[in-house]
Amino acid sequence: MFISALRNPLSIVILISGVLSLPGCASFGSKPPETPAVTIQKPKIGLALGGGAARGFAHIGVIKMLESHGIYPDYVVGTSAGAVVGSLYAAGYDAYAMQKIAQQLDEKIFADWTLGGRGLLKGEALQEFINQHLNKRPIERLNRPFATVATDLNSGERIVFRTGDTGMAVRASAAVPGVFQPAQFRGHSYVDGGLSSPVPVQAARDMGADIVIAVDISSKPEGQPIDSMTAIMWQTTTIMGGAIAANELKGADVVIRPKLPYVKSWDFTARNDAMLEGERAAQAALPAIKQKLPH
């Protein structure tokens, strides 16, 4: 009977349909359900570059070491000297290109003296230097997200610039009271960001950084010269920013501290030593940094 049924095409169709309907055979010929792919979100890295005048050359050494180990920040924030280096880095200059620029720098480039009573230097030369190297690109058009911190002279508030004239924002961030004239724009007077945020860790967090690598190049007050009005002004800023920096650095995941006690505030001749110390300090911090990164 079974053989005769197979001779009937209609019986064959009915037989196959019955087999497919049996328990355990419903998935015959179909793919098993796919497991949804788990996407691992890569943490965003923020690089917070602190202020410290000529000691800022150390930032270049830090960046050089980080790049050599494939560590590239998603956000860059700088205060004062950190704003100078940070703006160049955010604009696309790598550590080697910045090192070349540093070798050609002379303090006379920024010495636009003024007879005005609000500062010894105008700060216009610094503004022009930055804009020239950035092809006058505003902050929002740089290669990677960048911000710089200044202090509102009237209110004392920390002000974070994330858009607008890059050179002007850097000038405002580096305007040490008494040394540089306050930067005037947007209807306000701005001075050194080191007065309100010496190492801009919080600004990096606010931009979206999950991991913040902070570079503290401030020196202890001891050992710094106080033999001129300019030196006293630099020293005063260092003292005022010390307590603020210590508090803000608590929010960083890793703090890199180049050893620069011998580098004076306006000593451009020590640039090579500062860059080398930056490399050494960053190398020492690499295990801590890699521990924070996903494996």
Side-chain angles (χ1 to χ4, degrees):
M1 179 179 175
F2 178 75
I3 295 175
S4 62
L6 290 179
R7 292 173 182 170
N8 187 335
L10 180 59
S11 299
I12 294 175
V13 173
I14 295 173
L15 178 63
I16 293 175
S17 300
V19 171
L20 291 178
S21 64
L22 292 175
C25 297
S27 60
F28 181 79
S30 63
K31 293 182 180 180
E34 295 183 0
T35 303
V38 178
T39 302
I40 300 176
Q41 189 70 28
K42 181 181 176 182
K44 299 291 185 180
I45 301 173
L47 183 62
L49 304 176
R55 293 185 292 276
F57 289 112
H59 289 315
I60 298 175
V62 169
I63 292 171
K64 184 177 181 180
M65 181 57 64
L66 294 179
E67 286 185 333
S68 69
H69 286 265
I71 300 171
Y72 296 89
D74 299 282
Y75 307 106
V76 181
V77 188
T79 292
S80 197
V84 175
V85 175
S87 64
L88 294 173
Y89 187 41
Y93 290 93
D94 62 14
Y96 289 96
M98 289 191 291
Q99 187 172 355
K100 185 175 181 180
I101 294 173
Q103 298 294 352
Q104 301 169 351
L105 275 182
D106 188 285
E107 63 267 28
K108 295 178 181 177
I109 294 176
F110 308 119
D112 51 355
W113 299 97
T114 175
L115 298 177
R118 304 186 72 191
L120 301 175
L121 304 174
K122 297 177 183 177
E124 294 175 357
L126 174 59
Q127 178 180 342
E128 179 59 28
F129 170 83
I130 296 297
N131 282 335
Q132 179 183 349
H133 282 81
L134 272 56
N135 293 321
K136 297 184 178 181
R137 282 182 291 164
I139 294 174
E140 63 270 24
R141 289 184 57 195
L142 299 182
N143 295 41
R144 55 163 53 92
F146 171 68
T148 182
V149 179
T151 304
D152 189 308
L153 183 58
N154 296 314
S155 67
E157 292 182 82
R158 181 197 69 158
I159 305 298
V160 180
F161 296 109
R162 295 180 61 178
T163 61
D165 187 318
T166 309
M168 178 62 83
V170 171
R171 171 186 173 183
S173 182
V176 176
V179 179
F180 287 95
Q181 290 184 341
Q184 305 281 345
F185 67 109
R186 297 182 180 179
H188 293 266
S189 296
Y190 299 101
V191 291
D192 188 10
L195 298 175
S196 56
S197 184
V199 187
V201 173
Q202 186 57 51
R205 290 281 185 209
D206 293 341
M207 290 183 76
D210 301 303
I211 299 172
V212 176
I213 302 171
V215 186
D216 179 15
I217 58 170
S218 63
S219 64
K220 294 182 179 180
E222 298 89 353
Q224 289 298 306
I226 51 173
D227 53 0
S228 67
M229 184 174 66
T230 303
I232 291 174
M233 291 172 180
W234 286 114
Q235 182 77 332
T236 302
T237 302
T238 299
I239 294 172
M240 292 175 64
I244 301 172
N247 185 58
E248 189 164 13
L249 284 170
K250 294 176 182 177
D253 294 282
V254 179
V255 180
I256 299 174
R257 289 188 173 93
K259 297 179 181 179
L260 305 164
Y262 54 88
V263 180
K264 299 178 182 178
S265 298
W266 205 246
D267 185 7
F268 277 53
T269 62
R271 73 194 86 194
N272 290 324
D273 290 338
M275 286 187 278
L276 183 58
E277 290 295 345
E279 286 187 55
R280 288 172 177 167
Q283 185 175 33
L286 281 174
I289 295 173
K290 291 182 177 180
Q291 188 176 16
K292 297 289 182 179
L293 299 177
H295 302 291

